[in-house]
Amino acid sequence: MKLLDGKLIAGQIKSEIATEVNENFLGKGLNPPHIAAMLVGDDPASKTYVSGKEKACREVGFLSSVYKYAANVSEEKLLEAVDFLNNDPEVDGFIVQLPLPEHINEQKITERIDPRKDIDGFHPVNIGKMVLELPCFIPATPYGIITLLDRYDIETEGKNCVVLGRSHIVGTPISILLSRKSKRGNATVTLCHSFTQDIASIASKADILIVAMGKQGFVTADMVKNGAVVVDVGIHRIPSEETKSGYILKGDVDFEKVSRKCSYITPVPGGVGLMTIVSLLQNGLKAAKKIIV
Ligand code: GUN
């Protein structure tokens, strides 16, 4: 078994981005790319993600801004904030960290983002362009998974790929990307969800298994084919007295047992999570270069 090392690949990509910032922006007297995040309320996971994004921006020489709002902020105020960032010429792209509080309509906020600044790729225009294989912002987690497969030269063409989970952020877009007529596409994809019957039997036939269910330890060794490639998108904080932080991170896959059966597997932490952040930086770079119009 080999690790699909998100830390290693994310590090390589960050250094490539840093070089590009130096040569093509600072070296030409241009401002570095500037990306922003809107953070509503104080969900600990959201705060962790946003501070991880800020740190990654610093590492590659991007400017970053975070706009923070109380959990009881009105939808109207958030829509105004989106308009402000849409019109701010200093900001190349931005995200609205999800989930938003219940009283806010996430779809309405997402649809207000200018698709040219939508570095999360969640706007219907970007989703539609992704389906049609047109240039667009690709959602960061699926983008990170495809990049990881690509950097390890894992063939997807003609392979049997099974995706567990159909979220708008991960499962649905990765199923589309893997089945598109493109490099690291051309796979036969099965998308499993809460109504799928006998997930274990479907998963056990996968050459490439992408797990994004949000259920800790859901995938056990009997659900994985010998030699399969396993990508674990899950991330769960488990209380632990053995760490300083008071928790350990676990994925949707029983890593210890599954790793003995497969050819490649992503660890948690150190796998997909770091690839998500670096993919957002890649989208930020595209936004700054005004490639997506
Ligand atoms: N919440 C969990 N993942 C994401 C993501 O990739 N982008 C945003 N905006 N919110 C998230």
Side-chain angles (χ1 to χ4, degrees):
M1 175 280 294
K2 283 197 194 138
L3 275 189
L4 291 171
D5 189 341
K7 193 169 179 189
L8 175 80
I9 303 298
Q12 289 171 359
I13 296 175
K14 276 193 275 192
S15 88
E16 291 161 17
I17 296 174
T19 303
E20 180 152 4
V21 170
N22 276 324
E23 288 178 1
N24 292 343
F25 289 83
L26 305 178
K28 292 183 178 163
L30 300 171
N31 289 331
H34 181 178
I35 65 176
M38 286 169 54
L39 177 62
V40 182
D42 39 28
D43 174 53
S46 291
K47 280 174 150 174
T48 306
Y49 287 140
V50 170
S51 60
K53 288 165 191 168
E54 282 186 282
K55 179 168 168 273
C57 282
R58 283 194 297 276
E59 286 168 356
V60 299
F62 279 18
L63 296 171
S64 77
S65 311
V66 179
Y67 291 81
K68 293 182 184 160
Y69 301 88
N72 65 358
V73 65
S74 69
E75 188 175 277
E76 200 47 45
K77 182 119 194 270
L78 279 188
L79 288 168
E80 278 169 23
V82 169
D83 286 340
F84 176 81
L85 288 174
N86 280 341
N87 293 313
D88 183 350
E90 302 287 317
V91 170
D92 295 301
F94 64 99
I95 66 154
V96 179
Q97 185 65 36
L98 304 177
L100 292 172
E102 291 231 326
H103 67 282
I104 311 254
N105 182 335
E106 270 181 17
Q107 195 56 29
K108 201 166 162 188
I109 302 288
T110 303
E111 289 190 25
R112 191 73 158 244
I113 299 172
D114 182 333
R116 293 167 300 184
K117 289 194 173 189
D118 170 37
I119 54 174
D120 253 334
F122 293 167
H123 191 285
V125 164
N126 279 311
I127 304 277
K129 287 182 173 178
M130 178 181 68
V131 173
L132 298 172
E133 310 186 15
L134 298 169
C136 64
F137 292 111
I138 290 172
T141 302
Y143 188 7
I145 295 170
I146 295 290
T147 305
L148 205 49
L149 296 176
D150 192 44
R151 297 268 170 148
Y152 279 89
D153 213 15
I154 291 171
E155 188 56 83
T156 55
E157 192 171 301
K159 298 288 182 215
N160 187 19
C161 293
V162 173
V163 178
L164 306 186
R166 59 174 163 186
S167 71
H168 291 167
I169 294 182
V170 186
T172 295
I174 191 70
S175 71
I176 292 166
L177 293 171
L178 287 166
S179 56
R180 290 196 320 181
K181 197 170 186 174
S182 61
K183 197 175 173 215
R184 308 304 159 198
N186 291 326
T188 304
V189 180
T190 306
L191 179 59
C192 298
H193 47 74
S194 48
F195 289 88
T196 302
Q197 294 185 18
D198 204 356
I199 286 189
S201 142
I202 297 170
S204 67
K205 295 183 183 74
D207 301 311
I208 300 175
L209 181 62
I210 314 279
V211 190
M213 322 250 308
K215 290 187 184 166
Q216 195 236 315
F218 180 86
V219 171
T220 47
D222 56 301
M223 295 166 70
V224 177
K225 183 164 96 170
N226 278 323
V229 175
V230 178
V231 175
D232 188 354
V233 184
I235 185 144
H236 307 271
R237 288 180 181 207
I238 313 295
S240 165
E241 287 172 6
E242 282 161 33
T243 59
K244 236 200 278 174
S245 61
Y247 62 86
I248 50 169
L249 295 175
K250 292 266 187 196
D252 286 0
V253 174
D254 177 350
F255 181 87
E256 206 187 301
K257 300 210 176 83
V258 170
S259 60
R260 291 190 209 134
K261 266 187 108 172
C262 53
S263 56
Y264 290 93
I265 187 167
T266 57
V268 177
V272 173
L274 298 171
M275 292 303 298
T276 298
I277 291 184
V278 98
S279 302
L280 188 75
L281 296 177
Q282 287 177 302
N283 280 344
L285 199 56
K286 283 186 190 160
K289 294 202 276 190
K290 313 276 183 269
I291 297 175
I292 312 288
V293 288

